[in-house]
Amino acid sequence: MANIKSQIKRNRQNELNRQRNKAVRSELKTREKQAVNAEAEETDEAFRQAQKKIDQAVSKGVLHKRTAARKKSRLAKRLASD
């Protein structure tokens, strides 16, 4: 355990950020799976929801913008091939 006050605070902040990031990433995975497994009529809406969550993750700093672009591109490509 750290003895320095600032490091103790930083440890608390890191834990809260880790939990938030984990929740956001989990939600991303869920939305991507829903988009891939959606029925033909629901695919567009599921894809839109997945894109929205990816963009929100970027705005929160969980994902880099290029990572988000890659994820959206790969998801669109996968849905187009089905």
Side-chain angles (χ1 to χ4, degrees):
M1 185 69 191
N3 293 326
I4 300 166
K5 267 184 160 181
S6 61
Q7 189 58 46
I8 292 170
K9 180 178 178 180
R10 175 57 60 190
N11 289 343
R12 284 198 313 264
Q13 290 173 334
N14 287 342
E15 181 61 21
L16 291 175
N17 289 339
R18 185 186 69 82
Q19 289 174 357
R20 186 197 70 200
N21 292 344
K22 185 177 178 184
V24 170
R25 285 194 187 104
S26 175
E27 181 69 20
L28 281 178
K29 289 180 187 178
T30 301
R31 295 296 179 180
E32 289 173 6
K33 286 178 189 175
Q34 286 176 349
V36 170
N37 296 330
E39 297 296 324
E41 311 85 42
E42 304 163 354
T43 302
D44 290 337
E45 180 60 29
F47 179 58
R48 207 171 303 116
Q49 288 296 322
Q51 281 185 318
K52 182 179 177 182
K53 289 296 178 183
I54 291 170
D55 290 335
Q56 285 176 347
V58 171
S59 68
K60 290 181 179 184
V62 177
L63 290 180
H64 191 273
K65 64 180 181 179
R66 290 184 182 148
T67 303
R70 187 175 64 243
K71 282 182 174 289
K72 289 192 286 189
S73 174
R74 287 179 181 173
L75 185 60
K77 186 176 176 183
R78 186 170 179 187
L79 294 176
S81 68
D82 290 344

